Amino acid sequence: FVQRYALAVLYYALGGRTDGWQREFSFVSSAHECEWQEKLEYTEAEQVYYYGIDCDDQGRVTSIVLPNNRLRGTIPPEIALLPHLRVLNLSENRLYGSLPPEMSKLVKLEEALFAMNEISGTIPDYLHTFTNLKKLSFLDNVFTGTLPDLSHLKKMTHLDLSNNEDLTGTIPESWGQMQALRGLFLSFNELSGSIPLRIGEMTELRDLRLSGNVLEGTLPASIKNCRHLKNLYLDDNEFTGELDVLQTLLFLEGAFLEDNNFEGNFGTFVEYFDDIVILDASNNNLRGTLSEEFFKKDKLKVLDLNRNKIGGVLPQFPENDSLEYLSLQNNAFRNVLPASVSNLRALTHL
């Protein structure tokens, strides 16, 4: 009875019946609460997903999945009456207000997804007790304050606090202890300071996105330990120094470095970045020359070096069927674009 009551309170608190959910999932019907769901099967992945409510073999609610369902309101404290909850996905709705302190009792949570709402207040300190948490997303909300200590979350693989705009302070050094992390997304906030030295302890990291903050300083040498990194977003910050440390990131596919104050010789990258697809280093202070060899990278689709100090002679372009976007304006090249640019057969922007 208790969990049915908690779900009924959740339903009415978040606009059920009043505002009209997109799907009702049989909420507050005569059916057992474990049947308030719709099953979605993905045969290619051989997985079954339940939208609505899901329960374990003992009939205890373990999952609430209601994304993009026109929910509206503030999460009620009665959600704490669901202590076996492992998945809570309320993304892409119209939730507002702060998260209730009673949520601190949901220590079995493995996924807490609240992306694209209007939830406010500070990020709760009690999250560090959710030691089973693997995925946490507050993307595109209106949280304020500083980043909490989440160092105890050893199982965390995906952390997204992007697009809150008023999150301030530094990235905690202690976050390096989240060594299972594969995706760290902190873009478009007001974070300051430098990238933590302990970033190198996140050896499973595939995706690091820090765009649109006020971060500064040089890239820490320890980032070379993030050997599996595929996507690196550092654009629109105040970073300085050279980029040599990136040469060890052999699997990098997307490097977004634009709108900083990076320096150094761009030519040193010719021997690296074999998997690179997008390289945007525009609006920096890179020097050196541009080698023909760089255009032999068969996966490269976008190369933007606009507004740097790269000089010398533009190379003769080899035959290339992958490069689609090339921007070399506002540099210090001594010659005009050679006719061999026609060898870049996939080019749509120059």
Side-chain angles (χ1 to χ4, degrees), residues 15-86:
R17 294 279 171 88
T18 305
D19 292 335
W21 288 10
Q22 185 167 325
R23 293 190 182 95
E24 292 287 334
F25 299 107
S26 301
F27 261 71
V28 298
S29 69
S30 58
H32 191 277
E33 59 269 22
C34 292
E35 298 175 0
W36 297 352
Q37 62 179 231
E38 289 182 19
K39 184 170 67 173
L40 300 178
E41 296 187 23
Y42 292 88
T43 53
E44 289 186 9
E46 297 182 348
Q47 292 178 319
V48 177
Y49 294 92
Y50 290 93
Y51 272 40
I53 306 302
D54 195 21
C55 299
D56 62 16
D57 293 340
Q58 300 179 53
R60 301 176 300 193
V61 173
T62 58
S63 175
I64 300 176
V65 178
L66 299 169
N68 194 22
N69 200 48
R70 292 207 290 260
L71 278 59
R72 181 180 180 87
T74 301
I75 299 172
E78 284 81 2
I79 198 166
L81 299 175
L82 303 170
H84 299 283
L85 205 59
R86 294 199 301 269

Side-chain angles (χ1 to χ4, degrees), residues 160-175:
D160 194 343
L161 307 179
S162 303
N163 291 59
N164 280 276
E165 296 187 3
D166 288 327
L167 284 178
T168 59
T170 60
I171 304 171
E173 280 283 348
S174 61
W175 281 18

Side-chain angles (χ1 to χ4, degrees), residues 160-324:
D160 194 343
L161 307 179
S162 303
N163 291 59
N164 280 276
E165 296 187 3
D166 288 327
L167 284 178
T168 59
T170 60
I171 304 171
E173 280 283 348
S174 61
W175 281 18
Q177 297 180 50
M178 292 190 285
Q179 296 178 9
L181 209 58
R182 297 170 68 95
L184 176 59
F185 306 87
L186 300 175
S187 295
F188 305 112
N189 288 295
E190 289 293 327
L191 300 177
S192 56
S194 57
I195 297 177
L197 296 176
R198 299 183 67 179
I199 191 81
E201 296 178 29
M202 299 179 183
T203 55
E204 297 300 316
L205 204 59
R206 266 69 170 172
D207 211 326
L208 176 61
R209 305 197 182 199
L210 305 176
S211 307
N213 284 285
V214 285
L215 297 168
E216 59 186 6
T218 60
L219 302 185
S222 61
I223 202 171
K224 67 183 180 182
N225 297 325
C226 303
R227 299 182 186 279
H228 301 290
L229 202 61
K230 289 188 174 183
N231 293 298
L232 179 62
Y233 287 70
L234 303 178
D235 50 293
D236 196 13
N237 279 285
E238 298 175 8
F239 290 118
T240 57
E242 299 193 0
L243 295 167
D244 292 354
V245 69
L246 300 186
Q247 295 173 0
T248 60
L249 304 179
L250 302 181
F251 302 106
L252 206 58
E253 296 178 0
F256 298 83
L257 312 171
E258 67 269 25
D259 299 321
N260 282 285
N261 294 300
F262 288 121
E263 303 172 343
N265 185 352
F266 178 77
T268 60
F269 291 103
V270 171
E271 299 178 14
Y272 305 95
F273 291 171
D274 287 341
D275 288 341
I276 198 72
V277 178
I278 300 175
L279 175 56
D280 189 344
S282 58
N283 200 20
N284 280 284
N285 294 307
L286 299 177
R287 298 179 180 273
T289 58
L290 185 59
S291 168
E292 172 186 348
E293 297 300 314
F294 208 86
F295 295 91
K296 294 180 180 179
K297 296 182 184 298
D298 57 5
K299 297 180 182 178
L300 184 65
K301 292 183 179 295
V302 175
L303 178 62
D304 192 342
L305 300 176
N306 183 31
R307 295 188 182 278
N308 279 283
K309 299 176 181 178
I310 302 171
V313 176
L314 282 169
Q316 292 298 314
F317 296 103
E319 293 186 357
N320 182 304
D321 292 318
S322 61
L323 190 65
E324 299 173 2

